[in-house]
């Protein structure tokens, strides 16, 4: 229990089950660690293809304890086509089985296995019997959440984002993703910044040339530094190309000296790096604030709260390191006054945001807007996915009924009355019951969208009379339940 997540278990499922089943999204609690490891394995060409076709997704609830950039790069909310899946489905089963701990620990090994097995079978049977109702409930919940997300979206632009345009969201999304991936467009690729980088590379190559002239390939093998020697030799061979590129860049600044071009390029690169660090500091502080709220509202156990607090401690140390680098870079930038202390960062009062000349949205504002936008997109994707699940549910039981009917005809013709025949008839009753139940519930949930399923229901299995009788019976049952609850409430009031 102290080893953490083991890659072997998901790797086995990935290689032997998901890859052959055509799974599109693979969810895991530490996907940010597992997926890079899995791509390095490269066991077979089929597995290489599986890592290319399948998309990784970080479980939504576990992602809250990860760094903000990890949530952006791997989180399910940022994966196109993932819907509102959480990747936490097995946690529901684990929560249900955890209640057995107090009893099974006092049992023998055989009794413990039997008890757990019986509970797993019950879980599966309940899931099968209530699947139609759960799909309808999920469909209604998603519709309500879409309305809530739209209201939150409008409220955001009326309050925090009123100074910006809603069309900026796509650019903000790109900025957040680039920041999470550690990408920084160095001074937008200007000639001065390129000159600065080329000049620095030339200095580095010249320092390596001394090493390559004093050490040969044989000595490198003897000292175990052959890899270092080969890399150094490769860089030294690029000196001529770098010198030619430097000469071309010098011609673009005829009125400036080499030192002036170097200083301008250094300042532009420093400005870009300073801005990138500022965004990362803001986003990290924002993630700490989100975890503080989650530890008080969403964390329902001491273990969960401790995990969130420990992550915040690590993030604070990361902020201290970022502020130290930011302080050094600011000395070379155009805005050396944009230095920030740890106390200012914790209060989220950043000096670069208080400057009236800066009209760009803050990283925190961008992250909030992008999070809401991603939720809206995932919710919009979920409705078609639920309809597809409903279609698959009905299609499956129609195929089951067809298969069982052919088995019944074969057994009746060849064996007459038989135990297998009775089992098939019992299975037919169950399959027809599930099919009737699903049809009634899906019609009520989808209403005018019922025709979108494009199913030709065979009426020898489902006649309109059967559906009408079943709907009337369910309405009577609900009426009886309401009358009984009214009588119970009247009795309670009379007793009181």
């Amino acid at each position: 229990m102290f080893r953490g997540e083991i890659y072997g278990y998901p790797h086995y499922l990935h290689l032997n089950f998901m890859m052959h089943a055509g799974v599109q999204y693979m969810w895991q609690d530490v996907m940010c660690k597992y997926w890079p490891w899995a791509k390095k394995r490269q066991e077979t060409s089929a597995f290489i293809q599986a890592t290319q076709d399948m998309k990784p997704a970080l479980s939504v609830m576990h992602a809250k304890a990860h760094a903000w950039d990890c949530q952006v790069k791997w989180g399910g909310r940022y994966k196109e086509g993932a819907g509102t899946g959480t990747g936490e489905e097995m946690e529901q089963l684990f929560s249900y089985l955890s209640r057995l701990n107090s009893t099974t620990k006092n049992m023998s090994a055989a009794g413990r296995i039997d008890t757990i097995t019986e509970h797993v079978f019950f879980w599966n049977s309940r899931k099968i019997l209530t699947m139609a109702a759960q799909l309808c409930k999920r469909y209604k919940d998603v519709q309500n959440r879409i309305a809530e997300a739209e209201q939150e979206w409008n409220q955001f632009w009326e309050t925090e984002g009123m100074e910006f345009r809603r069309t900026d969201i796509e650019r903000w999304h790109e900025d957040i993703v680039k920041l999470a991936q550690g990408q920084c467009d160095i001074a937008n690729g200007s000639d001065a910044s390129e000159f600065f980088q080329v000049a620095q590379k030339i200095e580095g190559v010249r320092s390596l040339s001394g090493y390559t002239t004093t050490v040969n390939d044989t000595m490198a093998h003897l000292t175990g530094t052959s890899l270092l020697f080969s890399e150094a030799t490769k860089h030294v061979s690029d000196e001529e190309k770098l010198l030619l590129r430097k000469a071309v860049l010098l011609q673009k600044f005829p009125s400036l000296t080499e030192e002036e071009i170097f200083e301008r390029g250094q300042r532009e690169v420093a400005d870009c790096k300073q801005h990138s660090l500022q965004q990362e500091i803001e986003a990290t502080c924002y993630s700490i604030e989100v975890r503080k709220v989650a530890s008080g509202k969403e964390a329902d156990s001491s273990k969960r709260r401790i995990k969130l607090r420990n992550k915040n401690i690590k993030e604070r140390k990361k902020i201290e390191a970022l502020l130290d680098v930011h302080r050094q870079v600011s000395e070379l930038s155009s805005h050396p006054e944009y230095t920030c202390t740890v106390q200012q960062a914790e209060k989220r009062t950043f000096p670069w945001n208080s400057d009236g000349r800066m009209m760009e949205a803050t990283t925190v504002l961008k992250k909030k807007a992008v999070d809401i936008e991603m939720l809206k997109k995932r919710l919009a994707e979920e409705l078609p996915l639920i309809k597809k699940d409903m279609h698959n549910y009905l299609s499956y039981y129609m195929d089951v009924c067809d298969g069982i009917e052919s088995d019944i005809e074969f057994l009746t013709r060849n064996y007459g009355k038989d135990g297998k025949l009775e089992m098939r008839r019992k299975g037919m009753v169950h399959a027809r019951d599930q099919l009737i139940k699903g049809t009634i519930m899906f019609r009520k949930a989808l209403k005018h969208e019922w025709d979108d399923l494009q199913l030709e229901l065979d009426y020898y299995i489902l006649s309109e009379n059967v559906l009408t009788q079943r709907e009337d019976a369910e309405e009577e049952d609900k009426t009886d339940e309401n009358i009984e609850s009214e009588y119970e409430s009247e009795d309670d009031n009379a007793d009181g």
Side-chain angles (χ1 to χ4, degrees):
M1 65 181 293
F2 298 103
R3 296 170 63 185
E5 297 285 346
I6 299 173
Y7 298 159
Y9 300 144
H11 183 61
Y12 177 82
L13 295 173
H14 187 188
L15 196 62
N16 297 283
F17 175 71
M18 297 182 180
M19 187 171 69
H20 305 292
V23 175
Q24 295 181 348
Y25 292 91
M26 180 178 178
W27 299 78
Q28 206 213 356
D29 299 344
V30 289
M31 184 56 72
C32 51
K33 303 289 185 183
Y34 168 76
W35 200 254
W37 175 85
K39 296 189 74 172
K40 291 179 182 178
R41 299 289 295 174
Q42 309 288 324
E43 279 103 344
T44 61
S45 58
F47 184 70
I48 296 174
Q49 188 65 29
T51 54
Q52 294 174 353
D53 297 340
M54 199 178 302
K55 297 180 181 179
L58 181 64
S59 305
V60 174
M61 292 303 297
H62 281 79
K64 295 181 182 297
H66 287 234
W68 75 271
D69 55 337
C70 187
Q71 297 178 35
V72 173
K73 288 186 290 185
W74 303 98
R77 288 290 179 266
Y78 279 76
K79 298 295 181 181
E80 294 289 338
T84 57
T86 61
E88 306 284 0
E89 285 73 16
M90 290 305 298
E91 298 291 342
Q92 302 173 26
L93 174 60
F94 298 153
S95 175
Y96 167 74
L97 293 178
S98 64
R99 68 188 67 181
L100 303 177
N101 175 57
S102 59
T103 54
T104 54
K105 66 181 181 183
N106 299 315
M107 295 180 180
S108 63
R112 181 163 54 250
I113 293 173
D114 288 344
T115 302
I116 294 175
T117 303
E118 288 294 329
H119 277 75
V120 171
F121 283 165
F122 172 74
W123 175 273
N124 289 338
S125 64
R126 185 178 65 177
K127 182 171 62 175
I128 291 171
L129 294 174
T130 62
M131 187 173 294
Q134 290 297 328
L135 286 173
C136 293
K137 181 177 181 296
R138 190 167 148 200
Y139 188 82
K140 185 177 180 180
D141 289 344
V142 171
Q143 287 180 321
N144 294 334
R145 291 180 63 190
I146 288 176
E148 293 173 359
E150 189 65 32
Q151 183 179 0
E152 184 181 2
W153 176 252
N154 294 328
Q155 185 178 1
F156 171 82
W157 289 106
E158 290 172 0
T159 55
E160 299 181 65
M162 59 185 303
E163 298 180 359
F164 305 96
R165 296 175 298 176
R166 300 194 181 194
T167 54
D168 292 336
I169 190 66
E170 293 298 330
R171 180 171 57 84
W172 290 358
H173 182 215
E174 294 177 2
D175 293 343
I176 292 295
V177 172
K178 283 184 179 181
L179 181 61
Q181 294 175 347
Q183 300 176 0
C184 177
D185 298 331
I186 301 298
N188 296 322
S190 67
D191 294 330
S193 64
E194 187 181 357
F195 179 86
F196 167 74
Q197 295 175 76
V198 169
Q200 288 294 96
K201 289 179 181 178
I202 292 173
E203 291 296 323
V205 165
R206 287 175 178 172
S207 62
L208 288 174
S209 61
Y211 167 72
T212 55
T213 53
T214 55
V215 179
N216 55 30
D217 190 48
T218 304
M219 293 297 296
H221 281 290
L222 290 175
T223 57
T225 58
S226 57
L227 182 61
L228 174 63
F229 179 77
S230 62
E231 289 293 326
T233 305
K234 186 188 300 183
H235 287 297
V236 169
S237 63
D238 294 337
E239 182 178 3
E240 185 176 351
K241 295 180 182 179
L242 293 172
L243 289 173
L244 289 174
R245 184 57 185 167
K246 181 180 178 182
V248 172
L249 292 171
L250 275 173
Q251 295 176 359
K252 296 183 178 182
F253 300 93
S255 60
L256 298 178
T257 62
E258 186 172 335
E259 290 76 12
E260 291 173 341
I261 302 171
F262 183 87
E263 290 179 0
R264 177 189 289 186
Q266 182 185 49
R267 186 167 57 252
E268 291 179 358
V269 173
D271 288 344
C272 181
K273 184 62 178 178
Q274 183 190 44
H275 182 63
S276 176
L277 288 169
Q278 290 168 358
Q279 289 181 313
E280 189 170 2
I281 291 168
E282 288 182 29
T284 307
C285 292
Y286 174 66
S287 66
I288 290 176
E289 190 68 26
V290 170
R291 283 194 203 94
K292 285 182 180 179
V293 176
S295 62
K297 289 186 177 181
E298 301 176 9
D300 56 355
S301 66
S302 177
K303 180 181 178 181
R304 176 72 176 163
R305 286 190 289 271
I306 290 173
K307 188 175 183 179
L308 293 173
R309 288 166 184 163
N310 288 339
K311 185 63 181 180
N312 275 350
I313 292 173
K314 293 181 181 179
E315 293 282 76
R316 288 190 182 95
K317 292 180 180 179
K318 178 183 176 180
I319 289 176
E320 293 178 3
L322 289 173
L323 288 174
D324 188 42
V325 176
H326 180 267
R327 193 179 304 109
Q328 298 174 16
V329 172
S330 296
E331 295 175 357
L332 303 175
S333 68
S334 303
H335 301 283
E337 71 276 7
Y338 288 163
T339 56
C340 182
T341 63
V342 178
Q343 291 76 15
Q344 288 176 317
E346 289 179 350
K347 296 178 181 178
R348 288 168 58 186
T349 55
F350 305 105
W352 51 83
N353 289 340
S354 60
D355 192 343
R357 294 172 296 175
M358 299 189 68
M359 300 301 294
E360 177 65 22
T362 64
T363 305
V364 173
L365 188 68
K366 292 179 182 179
K367 183 68 167 53
K368 283 184 179 180
V370 172
D371 285 344
I372 300 173
E373 175 69 10
M374 291 297 103
L375 179 60
K376 284 180 57 185
K377 287 185 176 181
R378 300 295 83 80
L379 288 169
E381 295 167 354
E382 186 67 15
L383 290 179
L385 292 175
I386 298 175
K387 290 181 183 178
K388 184 178 180 181
D389 289 339
M390 292 178 177
H391 181 280
N392 293 340
Y393 175 95
L394 296 175
S395 299
Y396 170 78
Y397 280 109
M398 289 173 64
D399 293 340
V400 169
C401 289
D402 291 337
I404 293 178
E405 186 175 11
S406 63
D407 289 345
I408 290 174
E409 291 177 358
F410 174 79
L411 292 171
T412 304
R413 184 172 59 252
N414 294 283
Y415 298 99
K417 290 185 177 181
D418 185 73
K420 292 182 179 179
L421 180 60
E422 294 304 318
M423 291 296 294
R424 293 297 189 280
R425 287 174 175 170
K426 185 178 179 180
M428 175 63 86
V429 172
H430 169 73
R432 289 186 62 187
D433 187 68
Q434 289 291 95
L435 192 52
I436 294 171
K437 185 194 301 183
T439 304
I440 294 172
M441 290 184 175
F442 296 162
R443 277 183 172 181
K444 289 183 177 180
L446 296 177
K447 297 178 181 178
H448 60 280
E449 297 179 354
W450 163 254
D451 295 334
D452 294 345
L453 296 185
Q454 297 181 349
L455 276 173
E456 295 181 1
L457 297 172
D458 297 327
Y459 286 105
Y460 70 92
I461 298 175
L462 292 174
S463 66
E464 286 295 334
N465 293 331
V466 172
L467 294 178
T468 305
Q469 293 172 6
R470 188 62 175 270
E471 289 179 348
D472 293 340
E474 288 187 357
E475 292 296 332
E476 291 177 1
D477 292 340
K478 290 182 179 179
T479 305
D480 293 340
E481 290 177 2
N482 293 334
I483 293 173
E484 290 177 3
S485 62
E486 289 177 3
Y487 279 131
E488 290 175 359
S489 60
E490 289 177 2
D491 292 340
D492 294 339
N493 293 332
D495 294 337

